[in-house]
Amino acid sequence: MIATDVISGQVKGAPSALPADHIGNGFFGQDILSVRQFDREKLDYIYRVADEMRSLVKRFGKANLLDGKILANLFYEPSTRTSSSFQAAMLRLGGRSISINEVHYSSVTKGESLPDTVRTLESYCDLTVLRHPVTGSAELAARYARKPLINAGDGTGEHPTQALLDIYTVENDLGRLDGLKVAMMGDLKYGRTVHSLTRLLSLYETELYFVSPEILRMPDEILGEVRASGHNYTELRDVDEIIGEIDVLYITRVQKERFEDPAQYDEVKGCYVVDPALMAHAKSDMILMHPLPRVYEIAMEVDDDPRAAYFRQMENGMYIRMALLAAVLGKA
Ligand code: NCD
C-alpha cells in the first residue's frame, strides 16, 4: 500500500483520491516509515506544529482535535518512552488508544502474521504505531494496511519519530541546525536512532563525527548516503580529540539484544561512559543527548548539568508525536 501511496500521492483511507498535499502539508493519510520522507520544509512544519502543541499543553493540558479517533499501539519490542508518549499524545489531543505491548498474549503467539495483526487492529482504529524487531517490517506492514502506519522502530533500520524529536531538541536548545558539529558515539551499527538521525542531519550544514569501536561502526550504506549528500564526516575510536569542539554529543546504548555472540557484547558494552570528567572538557554550550534507556553510558552525576538534554528530549517526544498525529489524521 505504501508503494502505491508514494507513487500516486493518494491518501490512505480517504473516501476519494485526495491529493497527498491537500491537507497537513502532505502528511494527511500518509505512513511515516523513514526519515527519507522528510525535507527541511516538512521538518520545519512539524516543528512549528510541535511548538503549538507545547503551548497548548502548557496552557490547557489538552485539546479536542482528535476526538473520536483511536490509535493502535502495536509493540513487538520493549518500550517505555515511545509507546507511552504516543499514548499521551493521543490522549492530550482528545483521542484514545489501544495498546498491544505484550504480543505474547495476543494471537501472534498462535502464529498470526504481521500483516494479519495489523489488518485486524486497523479495523478498530484510525492509525497504527508499530515497533518490531525485523528491519523493514514497518514497510511490509504498511503495504497491507489501508490506514496510516507510523514506524516506531524496525529492528536496526530506522526510528523516524525519535530522530524528529532529536533534531527538534537541538533546534530548541541551540537555536539553529546549520553550522553545527555533531558527534554520535556508541553503537552506530545496530542503533536505529543514529541511522535516522544521520540521515536527517544530512539535510543541514552539519559536520558529522562517528565515534565507535571498529565492530560497531556506522553501516557503509549510511556513510555512502552522507557522502552523496555532500557532507564530510570523520570516524573515530575516541571522543577525546574532538570533545572540546563539538556542539552536540549524542551517545547510544550498546544494543545487547542485536548481538549474535554475547561475548562480543561483553567486550564493547562499557566502551564509552560520559562522566563529569569528560563533560569538563566539553564546550559550555555543548548539549549531551541520548535516546534512552541508558545502561552504562552516562553517569548519573551528569544529570544535573544543564547541558544534559536527554530529559528534555523525552518531553519533546510527546509534542512531536502530537504534531505528527494531528498532521497524519488531518487536523494540524
Ligand atoms: C531507542 C530504540 O528503541 O531504538 N529507544 C527509544 O525509543 N527511545 C534506543 C534504545 O533502545 O537504545
Side-chain angles (χ1 to χ4, degrees), residues 150-189:
I150 298 182
N151 180 5
D154 64 318
T156 61
E158 280 223 30
H159 193 345
T161 65
Q162 177 72 40
L164 291 176
L165 76 89
D166 291 338
I167 302 257
Y168 181 60
T169 304
V170 174
E171 195 200 49
N172 263 290
D173 278 15
L174 299 180
R176 67 190 200 284
L177 289 162
D178 286 312
L180 297 177
K181 292 186 178 184
V182 180
M184 284 170 243
M185 176 162 93
D187 187 346
L188 308 184
K189 178 179 180 187

Side-chain angles (χ1 to χ4, degrees), residues 40-299:
R40 287 176 67 138
E41 195 190 331
K42 282 190 156 58
L43 290 172
D44 202 52
Y45 173 80
I46 291 295
Y47 297 154
R48 299 299 68 87
V49 179
D51 288 343
E52 283 174 32
M53 295 301 179
R54 183 197 301 277
S55 66
L56 188 147
V57 169
K58 298 257 141 83
R59 292 174 63 203
F60 309 111
K62 69 185 274 288
N64 293 324
L65 278 176
L66 298 183
D67 192 19
K69 300 283 184 194
I70 303 179
L71 163 87
N73 230 5
L74 177 59
F75 279 67
Y76 288 73
E77 277 190 345
S79 170
T80 303
R81 276 149 291 268
T82 308
S83 78
S84 55
S85 64
F86 265 113
Q87 281 183 61
M90 202 61 191
L91 288 172
R92 288 200 184 268
L93 290 174
R96 289 168 182 243
S97 66
I98 292 178
S99 282
I100 311 265
N101 292 325
E102 282 287 348
V103 287
H104 315 291
Y105 295 115
S106 75
S107 288
V108 168
T109 315
K110 300 180 189 167
E112 185 164 69
S113 69
L114 177 62
D116 281 0
T117 303
V118 166
R119 282 184 288 206
T120 305
L121 285 171
E122 71 169 9
S123 15
Y124 315 130
C125 302
D126 301 287
L127 177 138
T128 305
V129 171
L130 173 71
R131 169 169 291 186
H132 195 280
V134 176
T135 307
S137 53
E139 209 172 315
L140 172 83
R143 234 174 258 144
Y144 291 90
R146 287 175 297 110
K147 293 181 184 167
L149 185 137
I150 298 182
N151 180 5
D154 64 318
T156 61
E158 280 223 30
H159 193 345
T161 65
Q162 177 72 40
L164 291 176
L165 76 89
D166 291 338
I167 302 257
Y168 181 60
T169 304
V170 174
E171 195 200 49
N172 263 290
D173 278 15
L174 299 180
R176 67 190 200 284
L177 289 162
D178 286 312
L180 297 177
K181 292 186 178 184
V182 180
M184 284 170 243
M185 176 162 93
D187 187 346
L188 308 184
K189 178 179 180 187
Y190 298 119
R192 55 195 172 201
T193 69
V194 283
H195 298 166
S196 293
L197 183 60
T198 300
R199 288 183 170 129
L200 277 193
L201 284 171
S202 300
L203 296 172
Y204 299 91
E205 300 305 317
T206 44
E207 219 167 293
L208 300 175
Y209 298 90
F210 299 119
V211 186
S212 74
E214 176 65 31
I215 60 163
L216 297 179
R217 285 180 55 226
M218 183 62 80
D220 286 335
E221 183 196 350
I222 296 176
L223 293 177
E225 288 177 34
V226 175
R227 283 193 298 273
S229 71
H231 285 72
N232 288 327
Y233 65 83
T234 311
E235 290 189 271
L236 301 156
R237 299 283 162 266
D238 208 311
V239 77
D240 288 354
E241 46 192 294
I242 52 160
I243 187 70
E245 290 171 40
I246 52 180
D247 303 293
V248 178
L249 176 58
Y250 188 105
I251 183 163
T252 67
R253 174 177 72 90
V254 178
Q255 309 277 298
K256 181 179 184 182
E257 65 276 27
R258 314 274 181 225
F259 281 73
E260 274 165 28
D261 176 4
Q264 214 172 39
Y265 169 73
D266 286 334
E267 263 171 46
V268 286
K269 66 180 178 192
C271 55
Y272 303 114
V273 179
V274 177
D275 57 14
L278 182 71
M279 291 299 281
H281 292 101
K283 282 168 51 169
S284 59
D285 59 353
M286 183 199 84
I287 56 169
L288 174 65
M289 302 179 71
H290 193 303
L292 302 177
R294 68 175 145 181
V295 189
Y296 304 100
E297 312 83 52
I298 304 178

Side-chain angles (χ1 to χ4, degrees), residues 292-321:
L292 302 177
R294 68 175 145 181
V295 189
Y296 304 100
E297 312 83 52
I298 304 178
M300 282 183 76
E301 300 84 73
V302 177
D303 294 356
D304 292 331
D305 188 316
R307 296 171 292 179
Y310 30 96
F311 300 125
R312 294 193 287 278
Q313 281 172 267
M314 285 193 310
E315 182 182 334
N316 288 337
M318 184 175 75
Y319 306 132
I320 284 289
R321 289 172 177 130

